[in-house]
Amino acid sequence: DTEVTQTPKHLVMGMTNKKSLKCEQHMGHRAMYWYKQKAKKPPELMFVYSYEKLSINESVPSRFSPECPNSSLLNLHLHALQPEDSALYLCASSQKDRPGGNSPLHFGNGTRLTVT
Amino acid sequence: AQKVTQAQTEISVVEKEDVTLDCVYETRDTTYYLFWYKQPPSGELVFLIRRNSFDEQNEISGRYSWNFQKSTSSFNFTITASQVVDSAVYFCALGVFSGGYNKLIFGAGTRLAVHP
């Protein structure tokens, strides 16, 4: 079983809906990530949180809004998405986020999102 | 440029065969990390191994072994006596510190199908 838990596993939403993806880890990791993965492609980084602060936004459209309420939780709020946003959204966490501390990322099972 | 190349898009083998997944990377950094992740059909990315750039020792873990050669910038992964449960997409990734954070650069992935 993965130590990073993502809910829901599947989500279907219309283009006018507002929904949220949730991610939780209890490994004491202080870096958390959102990745997007299209079919038959590698994951692409969206956001990085380090010590609950947004460190990196990889030019993600504002219809995706991340939130880190505490060190264990990471949310991704979705609003006015497009059909091309349909993908597998993966959350990950790692121990460190600094030079020389390239700790492995631990990924969740992902949320498979379909935008209709 | 920092890049990971997995030239094999798909590999198909029969159970009990040995199979090697190739990974070639490019980076100018002297300190970097290399990772292998497995993504079964269920979707989660499972961490398999991390090596740092200063440790060229090969590693064996059960039926899995990894061959790191800096001279050829390769980090190949061999599965001995493959099993149906090994069927998955395998990603090689390069970890570097870039732009103020640890960045994971994924290869395109190799889809391995092990048939009974």
Side-chain angles (χ1 to χ4, degrees):
Chain A
D1 286 340
T2 180
E3 295 176 45
V4 178
T5 305
Q6 288 188 245
T7 55
K9 289 186 179 180
H10 299 275
L11 178 64
V12 179
M13 61 185 289
M15 289 189 284
T16 58
N17 291 159
K18 282 186 183 180
K19 296 286 184 184
S20 296
L21 309 185
K22 297 187 184 301
C23 174
E24 189 168 2
Q25 58 90 12
H26 293 288
M27 294 179 282
H29 290 174
R30 301 313 297 268
M32 295 186 77
Y33 310 75
W34 280 115
Y35 279 80
K36 173 182 177 178
Q37 187 179 21
K38 300 285 277 184
K40 298 192 176 183
K41 296 288 186 184
E44 296 176 356
L45 182 65
M46 300 174 72
F47 302 104
V48 179
Y49 271 83
S50 180
Y51 291 87
E52 295 130 64
K53 292 187 178 171
L54 183 63
S55 297
I56 299 294
N57 175 342
E58 289 281 319
S59 302
V60 179
S62 59
R63 57 187 185 268
F64 295 92
S65 175
E67 178 198 19
C68 189
N70 60 56
S71 60
S72 300
L73 295 174
L74 185 67
N75 298 324
L76 186 63
H77 302 298
L78 314 172
H79 174 54
L81 295 194
Q82 303 296 312
E84 59 264 29
D85 295 322
S86 298
L88 179 68
Y89 288 84
L90 291 158
C91 172
S93 68
S94 70
Q95 276 186 331
K96 290 174 269 192
D97 187 30
R98 58 178 173 77
N102 212 307
S103 299
L105 271 62
H106 294 263
F107 286 85
N109 286 357
T111 293
R112 199 163 294 279
L113 174 68
T114 303
V115 182
T116 59
Chain B
Q2 293 167 335
K3 185 180 171 183
V4 176
T5 302
Q6 294 180 255
Q8 304 148 308
T9 306
E10 294 189 25
I11 301 176
S12 182
V13 299
V14 176
E15 216 170 11
K16 298 185 184 174
E17 281 186 38
D18 297 348
V19 58
T20 295
L21 310 182
D22 297 333
C23 173
V24 174
Y25 62 93
E26 292 177 35
T27 181
R28 290 182 184 168
D29 290 11
T30 53
T31 301
Y32 55 88
Y33 292 77
L34 294 163
F35 301 83
W36 276 95
Y37 284 88
K38 173 183 179 180
Q39 189 171 39
S42 51
E44 79 275 23
L45 277 157
V46 178
F47 165 70
L48 296 178
I49 189 171
R50 175 187 65 173
R51 302 303 300 219
N52 73 54
S53 51
F54 301 108
D55 182 2
E56 285 192 73
Q57 271 195 323
N58 291 330
E59 183 157 338
I60 298 174
S61 176
R63 295 184 298 107
Y64 295 170
S65 62
W66 291 270
N67 183 354
F68 178 24
Q69 292 197 345
K70 281 180 82 169
S71 59
T72 55
S73 296
S74 65
F75 186 44
N76 296 338
F77 173 30
T78 298
I79 302 174
T80 303
S82 59
Q83 300 176 0
V84 173
V85 294
D86 297 326
S87 297
V89 179
Y90 290 86
F91 290 99
C92 179
L94 170 66
V96 295
F97 194 80
S98 172
Y101 71 101
N102 286 318
K103 187 173 181 179
L104 205 59
I105 300 162
F106 284 93
T110 296
R111 183 175 300 274
L112 173 65
V114 182
H115 303 283

